[in-house]
Amino acid sequence: MTMNAVGRLTAPVPTEAHDVATFTGNRGLAIEEPLLFEVGRPDVSGVDFDDVDDVMPRLGGQVRMAPLDLPGLSEPETMRHYVRLSRQNYAIDLGLYPLGSCTMKHNPRLNEAMARLPGFADVHPLQPLSTVAGAVDLVAELGRWLLELTGMASVAMSPKAGAHGEMCGMAAIKAALADRGEARDVVLVPESAHGTNPATAAQLGFRVVAVPARPDGTVDPEEVRKRLTPEVAAIMLTNPNTCGLFERDIVGIAEAVHAAGAYFYADGANFNAIVGKVRPGDLGVDAMHINLHKTFSTPHGGGGPGAGPVVLSERLAPYAPVPFVRFDAEGAAEFVETRKIAGELGAKPFGRITAFHGQMGMFVRALAYMLSHGADGLRQASEDAVLAANYVKARLADVMTVAFPDRPAMHEVLFDDRFLADTGVTTLDFAKAMIDEGYHPMTMYFPLVVHGALLIEPTESESKASLDQFVDTLRHLAERAKSGDADAFRAAPRLAPRRRVDETLAARQPKLVQPV
Ligand SMILES: *Cc1c(COP(=O)(O)O)cnc(C)c1O
């Protein structure tokens, strides 16, 4: 066996065949786990309840007529069910997680310790504001950092994911247009955009018009100008875009959009590449969501809720939804809770996008990340993320095909499937073979602008040894594909708990409830 400096294997090792039959179906300590509805019994409960005879129903006649049919388990059975499922999850705490666009970076444990402090962990959204002054201050402080880093005028903290933030920012744009008495109903969206962009626009009643990409993977300002009719409400643009490229004409595009009376919505999911380097406000952005769970290390991907605060320009600030934070003359923060109070302050909030103030636990983690890095540390994290992606690009360029080799990659690098031409191996097969090697696949078949896309984002949190191990694995797989080993790829994954599942059937006929 050959190993690298950190004791990791650097050459293929024969793996014992896994077609060993076991009595239980378990593979060693990898334990099979059925659905809760398959193992639970309605007559079992993890809690002992006293029998009650005389209850006066106070539900206004809404009396339950039939048993609930919920699966019952004892406490240890319940624990085991969820712990076993959790062990089937892939997580950033288990290994490199190269999903492009989704920024799966290390979540520092310090953030977890801070989020568990009772003053943050135990606050209830219905507590009187006077009892949670510190928590309010924390949300305001995080908002201040977001404004400083983005160069924007105002921030709505409550949206609970990137897509929710898109909805918030585009709703603010809609409100601003309504206030101007204009019924513009077209939103321009580049072809490389994340699916949530056109979905958000459509959900708000806009018509989506696609903008094609240039051969170099960026948006052509001429193509934008051609489409800037008086019906255009906004453009939704991601920068760096989902090809991992900086949109170099972004300022010109923003100027053209503004000259046409429209707004510029920036999808900020890739902010991790430019924190401390570029302020979106300086580029002419009117609204941008920030995925705290991507850029500021709060867990996601099976690890917790997201948070998608939206920063707004001066022009859109009055339309921010309630609740929002404002600062009094002494700089103390307060929440403006209702539209009425907001109206008295001269604001015209479009409404409320979520019941309360947002994801408190994620706010604590994001601010802990910011404070522990400092401004210089955040900039360095972005630089290291870009460096890591370019390192992966440089080390794989001769065996895989870089989609846009002439432009520097930002925090992620896009490959297409030309290197698999005539091998009989597809992007999907390649990704499945990575699972056998112990790697979560990269983002596949997205963005749609190149054929058979493989989008890799290593993030700043991987060491060089870890990147080398990853790159060596991909080099090995690429060479194996080219050597005519297609059958082995088509049979992958062989070592995962499940082989290839019928994803279409699973999506079309999900097995939601198994009657107990
Ligand atoms: C992740 C992502 C989104 C959506 O964000 P969620 O937090 O998953 O809702 C939107 N656009 C891009 C480019 C993304 O990568």
Side-chain angles (χ1 to χ4, degrees):
M1 280 193 278
T2 41
M3 294 191 188
N4 66 14
V6 290
R8 298 250 180 212
L9 301 171
T10 56
V13 189
T15 306
E16 292 260 327
H18 264 53
D19 48 5
V20 183
T22 60
F23 177 70
T24 52
N26 300 332
R27 289 168 183 274
L29 299 180
I31 295 173
E32 280 293 307
E33 186 61 16
L35 298 176
L36 205 52
F37 287 94
E38 291 168 326
V39 287
R41 280 107 48 217
D43 52 323
V44 174
S45 168
V47 193
D48 281 332
F49 290 114
D50 287 336
D51 287 336
V52 244
D53 304 323
D54 296 319
V55 235
M56 161 131 58
R58 287 193 287 177
L59 298 173
Q62 305 286 317
V63 182
R64 190 196 301 153
M65 307 300 287
L68 267 183
D69 251 10
L70 288 177
L73 295 172
S74 70
E75 185 173 313
E77 285 172 322
T78 310
M79 280 308 294
R80 285 178 189 158
H81 175 73
Y82 287 107
V83 172
R84 284 172 183 173
L85 288 187
S86 77
R87 286 169 42 139
Q88 295 178 10
N89 250 352
Y90 192 81
I92 189 67
D93 291 347
L94 279 173
L96 190 149
Y97 205 153
L99 273 191
S101 204
C102 275
T103 315
M104 305 302 268
K105 61 160 85 176
H106 173 61
N107 315 128
R109 289 309 99 139
L110 173 71
N111 303 355
E112 299 303 317
M114 295 300 114
R116 281 168 178 69
L117 293 173
F120 296 133
D122 297 343
V123 290
H124 190 281
L126 291 177
Q127 248 171 281
L129 271 181
S130 59
T131 65
V132 289
V136 171
D137 268 355
L138 180 135
V139 181
E141 182 64 12
L142 175 62
R144 260 194 212 109
W145 272 79
L146 295 176
L147 294 180
E148 182 71 28
L149 290 170
T150 56
M152 302 287 281
S154 156
V155 59
M157 297 299 291
S158 59
K160 296 191 174 177
H164 203 204
E166 288 175 35
M167 178 71 91
C168 173
M170 292 302 290
I173 288 173
K174 203 171 168 147
L177 285 168
D179 202 22
R180 275 160 49 182
E182 293 183 34
R184 294 169 175 247
D185 69 341
V186 169
V187 170
L188 304 183
V189 180
E191 278 174 349
S192 64
H194 195 266
T196 49
N197 294 183
T200 297
Q203 190 73 27
L204 285 165
F206 292 109
R207 285 185 293 133
V208 175
V209 171
V211 183
R214 278 186 283 216
D216 74 357
T218 58
V219 174
D220 187 341
E222 269 321 301
E223 295 292 340
V224 174
R225 273 188 206 105
K226 269 194 240 165
R227 288 166 179 75
L228 280 173
T229 59
E231 289 84 54
V232 174
I235 188 168
M236 297 182 83
L237 203 68
T238 311
N239 195 30
N241 69 22
T242 56
C243 302
L245 305 171
F246 194 85
E247 292 286 357
R248 63 181 192 279
D249 292 308
I250 190 159
V251 174
I253 293 173
E255 283 166 4
V257 166
H258 289 154
Y263 292 93
F264 177 6
Y265 185 90
D267 179 327
N270 292 338
F271 194 40
N272 197 46
I274 56 172
V275 176
K277 308 291 282 186
V278 178
R279 298 194 316 162
D282 299 337
L283 303 176
V285 168
D286 289 303
M288 181 176 100
H289 71 262
I290 298 162
N291 311 61
L292 297 186
H293 47 291
K294 294 179 181 172
T295 305
F296 298 109
S297 86
T298 69
H300 66 133
V310 175
V311 287
L312 299 165
S313 65
E314 209 77 66
R315 303 196 302 155
L316 287 182
Y319 307 98
V322 284
F324 58 84
V325 186
R326 67 175 216 127
F327 302 98
D328 67 16
E330 277 85 58
E334 68 165 343
F335 268 112
V336 177
E337 291 277 340
T338 65
R339 284 176 100 161
K340 183 166 174 291
I341 300 175
E344 284 159 11
L345 296 168
K348 306 168 191 171
F350 72 73
R352 181 181 291 272
I353 192 142
T354 183
F356 300 109
H357 303 102
Q359 307 283 27
M360 188 65 202
M362 297 303 139
F363 294 162
V364 180
R365 288 175 176 87
L367 188 65
Y369 183 78
M370 290 170 172
L371 295 178
S372 56
H373 278 68
D376 55 339
L378 290 177
R379 185 189 314 116
Q380 192 189 331
S382 287
E383 289 172 352
D384 289 351
V386 172
L387 180 64
N390 280 284
Y391 181 69
V392 169
K393 174 185 174 188
R395 282 217 50 210
L396 290 173
D398 60 330
V399 290
M400 291 171 64
T401 33
V402 179
F404 302 106
D406 302 332
R407 306 280 324 277
M410 297 298 292
H411 60 311
E412 57 195 355
V413 51
L414 179 61
F415 297 89
D416 57 31
D417 62 2
R418 281 172 296 159
F419 74 103
L420 295 172
D422 305 325
T423 61
V425 177
T426 64
T427 291
L428 181 72
D429 300 329
F430 192 85
K432 295 292 184 194
M434 286 173 69
I435 296 175
D436 279 342
E437 298 289 348
Y439 282 108
H440 191 289
M442 65 289 270
T443 294
M444 296 180 292
Y445 298 105
F446 174 80
L448 306 175
V449 290
V450 302
H451 197 268
L454 305 105
L455 182 62
I456 299 178
E457 179 175 356
T459 82
E460 69 280 6
S461 42
E462 296 303 324
S463 66
K464 178 165 179 297
S466 152
L467 291 181
D468 281 334
Q469 174 87 6
F470 176 64
V471 164
D472 289 343
T473 307
L474 293 195
R475 291 188 68 87
H476 165 74
L477 289 177
E479 274 152 17
R480 229 174 99 196
K482 288 174 198 175
S483 72
D485 209 0
D487 286 345
F489 278 87
R490 279 195 283 267
R494 287 177 208 258
L495 307 178
R498 292 290 176 276
R499 307 287 296 271
R500 299 239 182 156
V501 294
D502 186 338
E503 286 160 15
T504 314
L505 186 70
R508 297 233 167 110
Q509 293 173 27
K511 196 167 146 187
L512 294 178
V513 174
Q514 178 91 10
V516 280

